[in-house]
């Protein structure tokens, strides 16, 4: 467990407020054209691996607000050729059922968004005016997969297993990677595989993810993005009174957006076969003015 006082000390230690212009792109300002050019050097085979979960319209313990998908045109209303088929999509995507990106307006801590602005002054019923997903735009950078089950020789991490700083260092050594400035770090816990084999459970109650003591290390390395097959937070939270401490540290203190609910099983297989755990990562969120995030289908290219 981490006391609230210690958590606030960590928050101050990793905080990057006032560092970048534009501020509402946060750590994505680390990714320069040179970073993008270097990232393309990870492309060797040309294998493209998508990482989004299927659009989930079925309710369950891990999908309390199912996404919507229904047909609006079955090709039976137009007289001239060609006929068309149309459908409708909608989602309350900030949950556990949809792969999505968290923008910097998504998380406030002690009433403040990233860079220190008051949340109530920047976000209202019309949307956000700071830290929007539209301000982020697309990201192309080096991705690093931390495949913890592969490192530990297990099928998956059990819900509630915390990934600490020492685990990150051990994974770097075992996988032959070094997390660097402007890199995106993706944590595989094996949650998707566990769900497929054992069934769904409530990840708000128990899930594997980063412990808060891993965040100073990731801040020191200068990451631009965190993601995982959960939502990056270990649950139950180790910080009393803070239900998502990694969200608060990454998004609000460090300006690092989060990718939640990835399917990393195909990427784990591809990186294991290739014998390397770095790749070109492309994240292209929807251009939603005022949006606090977006459904997304990130792509790794090996």
């Amino acid at each position: 467990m981490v006391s609230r006082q210690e958590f606030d000390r960590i928050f101050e230690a990793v905080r990057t407020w006032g560092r970048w212009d534009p501020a509402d792109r946060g750590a994505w300002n680390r990714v320069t054209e040179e970073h993008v050019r270097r990232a393309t050097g990870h492309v060797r085979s040309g294998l493209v691996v998508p990482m989004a979960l299927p659009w989930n319209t079925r309710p369950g313990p891990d999908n309390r607000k199912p996404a919507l998908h229904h047909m609006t045109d079955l090709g039976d209303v137009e007289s001239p050729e060609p006929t068309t088929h149309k459908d409708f999509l909608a989602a309350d995507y900030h949950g556990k059922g949809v792969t999505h990106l968290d923008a910097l307006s998504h998380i406030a801590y002690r009433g403040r968004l990233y860079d220190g602005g008051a949340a109530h002054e920047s976000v209202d019923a019309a949307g956000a005016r700071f830290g929007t997903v539209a301000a982020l735009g697309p990201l192309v950078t080096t991705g690093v997969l931390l495949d913890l089950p592969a490192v530990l020789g297990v099928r998956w991490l059990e819900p509630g297993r915390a990934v600490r700083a020492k685990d990150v260092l051990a994974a770097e050594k075992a996988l032959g990677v070094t997390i660097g400035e402007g890199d995106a770090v993706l944590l595989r816990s094996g949650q998707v595989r566990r769900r497929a084999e054992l069934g769904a459970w409530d990840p708000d109650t128990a899930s594997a993810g980063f412990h808060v003591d891993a965040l100073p290390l990731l801040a020191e390395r200068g990451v631009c993005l965190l993601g995982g097959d959960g939502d990056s937070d270990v649950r139950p939270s180790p910080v009393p009174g803070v239900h998502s401490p990694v969200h608060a540290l990454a998004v609000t203190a460090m300006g690092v957006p989060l990718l939640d609910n990835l399917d990393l099983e195909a990427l784990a297989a591809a990186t294991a076969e290739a014998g390397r755990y770095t790749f070109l990562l492309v994240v292209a969120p929807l251009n939603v003015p005022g949006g606090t995030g977006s459904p997304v289908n990130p792509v790794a290219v090996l």
Side-chain angles (χ1 to χ4, degrees):
M1 299 299 291
V2 177
S3 70
R4 188 68 172 271
Q5 181 179 18
E6 175 62 10
F7 176 77
D8 285 346
R9 187 196 67 76
I10 295 172
F11 188 97
E12 291 299 318
V14 302
R15 196 175 72 174
T16 60
W17 295 3
R19 179 174 298 185
W20 291 301
D21 182 21
D24 53 1
R25 296 191 77 243
W28 284 19
N29 285 291
R30 289 189 167 114
V31 182
T32 64
E33 293 178 352
E34 178 57 30
H35 281 90
V36 176
R37 284 193 292 269
R38 289 202 304 268
T40 63
H42 296 290
V43 178
R44 300 175 192 174
S45 69
L47 177 66
V48 176
V49 184
M51 290 177 275
L53 294 171
W55 194 252
N56 193 342
T57 60
R58 294 190 175 186
D62 55 352
N63 193 23
R64 297 176 183 175
K65 298 178 179 179
L68 302 178
H69 178 212
H70 63 258
M71 301 303 295
T72 58
D73 191 340
L74 295 177
D76 57 358
V77 294
E78 301 101 340
S79 52
E81 296 286 359
T83 55
T84 60
H85 307 95
K86 304 174 185 176
D87 51 355
F88 169 89
L89 295 172
D92 189 349
Y93 60 87
H94 281 301
K96 310 300 183 185
V98 177
T99 302
H100 66 270
L101 177 72
D102 292 343
L104 301 188
S105 54
H106 176 50
I107 299 292
Y109 181 64
R110 297 194 183 278
R112 299 285 172 179
L113 295 175
Y114 177 71
D115 219 44
H120 74 272
E121 295 177 354
S122 297
V123 186
D124 58 24
R129 292 178 294 279
F130 173 86
T132 70
V133 72
L136 285 177
L139 176 73
V140 179
T141 193
T142 296
V144 180
L145 179 66
L146 298 183
D147 190 344
L148 264 293
V151 171
L152 299 173
V154 297
R155 295 173 68 79
W156 53 69
L157 303 185
E158 287 295 337
R161 167 66 155 85
V163 176
R164 309 189 70 133
K166 63 182 180 181
D167 296 311
V168 174
L169 294 172
E172 284 186 313
K173 183 176 181 180
L175 301 174
V177 298
T178 301
I179 298 166
E181 177 88 9
D183 287 354
V185 175
L186 307 182
L187 172 65
R188 176 178 176 257
S189 69
Q191 174 170 299
V192 173
R193 182 175 186 177
R194 187 183 192 276
R195 187 188 191 280
E197 295 189 20
L198 300 183
W201 72 96
D202 181 2
D204 282 327
T205 300
S207 62
F210 286 114
H211 190 277
V212 295
D213 77 359
L215 272 294
L217 172 63
L218 296 170
E220 179 184 323
R221 298 296 182 85
V223 301
C224 74
L225 175 70
L226 289 180
D229 49 12
D231 69 356
S232 292
D233 265 287
V234 66
R235 301 182 193 284
S237 169
V239 184
V242 183
H243 64 80
S244 300
V246 168
H247 276 64
L249 292 176
V251 177
T252 314
M254 296 163 55
V256 172
L258 296 177
L259 279 175
D260 293 349
N261 312 322
L262 299 172
D263 183 346
L264 297 174
E265 297 308 296
L267 182 60
T271 51
E273 182 176 352
R276 56 189 177 93
Y277 291 82
T278 56
F279 43 87
L280 177 70
L281 177 69
V282 180
V283 182
L286 299 176
N287 185 3
V288 183
T292 63
S294 168
V296 67
N297 183 13
V299 173
V301 188
L302 279 74

